[in-house]
Amino acid sequence: MEEHPPANGWRTFLIVWCTQTISMFGSAVAFFAVTIWLTQSLYSHPEQKSELAFALALVALAAMLPRIFGAPIAGSWADRHDRRTTMLVADLVSAVVSAITLGLMATGMLQLWSLLILTIIYTTASTFHFAAFDTSYVMLVPKPKLPRANGMMQTIDSLAEVLSPAIAAVLIALPVLARQGSAPAILGGIHEGAALAFGVDALTFLVSATALLFVRIPMPQRAEIVKHARSRIWDDVRIGVSYIWDRRPLLWLLGTFTVANLIFAPMSVFIPLMVKFNYAEDWAARGMSFESALAGLTMAIGLGGVAGGIAISIWGGLKQRRVVGVVAPMLFAGLMQVIFGLSQQFDLAIASVFLLAFVGPAMNAHSQTIWQTQTPPELQGRVFAVRRLISQCSTPLGTLVAGVIGSVFNPGYALAVLGIVLVVFCIIQLCNPLLHRVEDK
């Protein structure tokens, strides 16, 4: 018997979505502050380019490895346990970790190794949170509204990136301003202004946790919850793997994202390096600082994602042949990555990353809708966990390689080569008849 969303399901989704956007905003502020701290405080000298590249790669790996390899455990947990409680606990754990980071950074005691440990804990909590959330809103949102909900979900990261760089830059400058008498004196004793970003992050998680106390998120009514309550985690992983393996078009779709993630992964390492070294002459001639230049580029990515998310939310996406809505935007993103990598002008770099980010929500929303409509609700936690594990397993490899390449070669040229590879791959996939059967029942 098909389960129907509750009458107030859309309203509940909107509440959780709004508060989740707030917490994602806090996380984006904190992440930007970490990048500034690494680039301008811990490894600030030009001769430390190699150390900076590896540090950026290690932090990125610490943020992604728990998310990738913890996904099967989190997905199985989401299928077995109350999803609202899972999100609530995860938010509280993240708030505590942010508060600890605030204390260490404010007193000058934070080191790279301790930052890595805290990042791993933080990301593990968020992995359980998103496993519960990703499998919750399909229970809340009517099927006709799923594409719109997916489009809104794709705007969360982008909305956070729009204002977070500017807010982070202001927070970072507050202790210096306080010592100059232009800000509250109590802030003058803080060793690193970046620490204030983690205070904002902790508060946003508390807001998100509080909202969860006042909503109800239904669980799938299925006999397997009782029947398999004591089954092993690997049994759940096997179920997820078998479901995807037996549906080869879904496997092709999964493989497409695996390749794309490998190619997009170096961006998180290369962007700060390109701003600091490749575009330094251009933004310096415009009277900009490194912080403002990096903030401008990051905000362009966020604005592109927001614009793309709004567009897909209003449009609702393709109703048939949704796989074209996945591969075509991916091809365009590859072209924009080529332009970004080869660009020597800061304005062109901003325009290219804006357009790259603009097509991301359409690509992801169409993919998410395909998976949601092809996977029964009671299996989505396990299937989505395996899907995330496989599609993102290439990201650590791409990030690690970026740390090596970025310390030796020009990162822009490396990005351009990877973008060309993605364009060729997408053209091949558009001609793949098996991939076009992905929505066949």
Side-chain angles (χ1 to χ4, degrees):
M1 181 177 177
E2 185 178 2
E3 299 176 37
H4 298 282
N8 62 346
W10 180 249
R11 185 185 66 181
T12 300
F13 167 76
L14 291 178
I15 293 173
V16 179
W17 179 82
C18 288
T19 55
Q20 180 61 30
T21 301
I22 293 173
S23 67
M24 286 298 296
F25 168 78
S27 298
V29 170
F31 181 79
F32 187 86
V34 165
T35 303
I36 296 298
W37 179 72
L38 289 171
T39 309
Q40 298 298 90
S41 297
L42 204 59
Y43 304 104
S44 58
H45 302 293
E47 60 271 18
Q48 292 179 303
K49 179 184 177 183
S50 297
E51 292 92 331
L52 175 60
F54 279 111
L56 289 168
L58 287 174
V59 171
L61 286 170
M64 69 179 63
L65 287 176
R67 183 179 301 118
I68 295 171
F69 295 104
I73 299 174
S76 177
W77 181 277
D79 275 348
R80 299 163 181 261
H81 298 86
D82 184 77
R83 292 166 180 174
R84 188 194 69 152
T85 302
T86 300
M87 289 189 283
L88 178 62
V89 173
D91 281 339
L92 293 176
V93 170
S94 298
V96 171
V97 172
S98 294
I100 293 173
T101 309
L102 162 65
L104 292 176
M105 189 178 285
T107 55
M109 298 175 62
L110 185 66
Q111 300 295 322
L112 180 60
W113 66 267
S114 55
L115 175 63
L116 294 175
I117 293 174
L118 290 167
T119 302
I120 290 172
I121 299 172
Y122 185 98
T123 308
T124 300
S126 69
T127 299
F128 278 84
H129 184 286
F130 282 110
F133 193 22
D134 284 349
T135 54
S136 291
Y137 68 89
V138 72
M139 302 294 299
L140 295 169
V141 178
K143 282 189 177 181
K145 291 187 177 181
L146 267 180
R148 180 163 290 123
N150 286 324
M152 293 172 65
M153 288 296 298
Q154 296 306 315
T155 64
I156 290 181
D157 288 335
S158 302
L159 280 171
E161 288 178 348
V162 171
L163 294 177
S164 59
I167 299 298
V170 171
L171 292 172
I172 291 169
L174 282 178
V176 175
L177 294 175
R179 289 190 282 271
Q180 296 173 350
S182 301
I186 192 173
L187 300 176
I190 297 178
H191 182 75
E192 286 285 349
L196 295 176
F198 286 92
V200 172
D201 193 26
L203 288 175
T204 58
F205 275 113
L206 292 177
V207 170
S208 181
T210 301
L212 288 170
L213 295 173
F214 300 98
V215 298
R216 177 184 174 273
I217 297 176
M219 287 284 291
Q221 298 298 317
R222 61 185 181 92
E224 292 94 308
I225 291 180
V226 177
K227 181 179 178 181
H228 298 294
R230 296 184 180 180
S231 63
R232 295 176 298 175
I233 181 65
W234 294 114
D235 292 335
D236 287 341
V237 174
R238 178 181 53 79
I239 292 172
V241 170
S242 298
Y243 187 88
I244 297 172
W245 182 260
D246 292 339
R247 292 155 180 80
R248 294 307 170 90
L250 279 178
L251 190 61
W252 271 107
L253 179 62
L254 187 55
T256 301
F257 269 90
T258 303
V259 173
N261 286 334
L262 175 65
I263 291 173
F264 290 139
M267 294 282 282
S268 62
V269 177
F270 285 169
I271 284 179
L273 292 175
M274 292 178 68
V275 173
K276 188 174 180 67
F277 299 105
N278 292 39
Y279 304 128
E281 184 176 347
D282 194 356
W283 55 254
R286 302 167 187 266
M288 302 172 68
S289 64
F290 169 79
E291 290 87 351
S292 60
L294 182 60
L297 197 63
T298 306
M299 290 175 67
I301 296 172
L303 286 170
V306 169
I310 292 173
I312 190 66
S313 298
I314 294 174
W315 172 33
L318 296 172
K319 302 302 184 291
Q320 297 178 348
R321 296 174 59 84
R322 291 189 177 101
V323 71
V324 176
V326 175
V327 182
M330 191 179 291
L331 188 155
F332 182 80
L335 289 173
M336 291 303 101
Q337 181 167 315
V338 173
I339 294 174
F340 174 65
L342 297 178
S343 171
Q344 297 298 316
Q345 296 181 337
F346 195 57
D347 287 346
L348 182 58
I350 287 179
S352 59
V353 295
F354 174 88
L355 292 173
L356 189 156
F358 178 82
V359 298
M363 176 176 64
N364 293 320
H366 282 104
S367 174
Q368 182 74 350
T369 303
I370 291 172
W371 284 95
Q372 287 172 333
T373 55
Q374 296 297 311
T375 308
E378 67 270 16
L379 290 177
Q380 287 188 6
R382 287 165 286 184
V383 173
F384 287 8
V386 173
R387 164 198 170 195
R388 187 176 296 111
L389 173 64
I390 296 175
S391 68
Q392 296 183 359
C393 67
S394 59
T395 304
L397 176 61
T399 303
L400 185 60
V401 171
V404 176
I405 293 176
S407 64
V408 179
F409 301 104
N410 186 316
Y413 295 158
L415 280 180
V417 171
L418 290 172
I420 293 172
V421 172
L422 182 60
V423 169
V424 174
F425 176 75
C426 288
I427 292 174
I428 295 173
Q429 290 299 83
L430 284 173
C431 301
N432 183 349
L434 194 58
L435 181 61
H436 284 275
R437 294 179 53 196
V438 72
E439 292 185 89
D440 291 351
K441 292 293 186 180

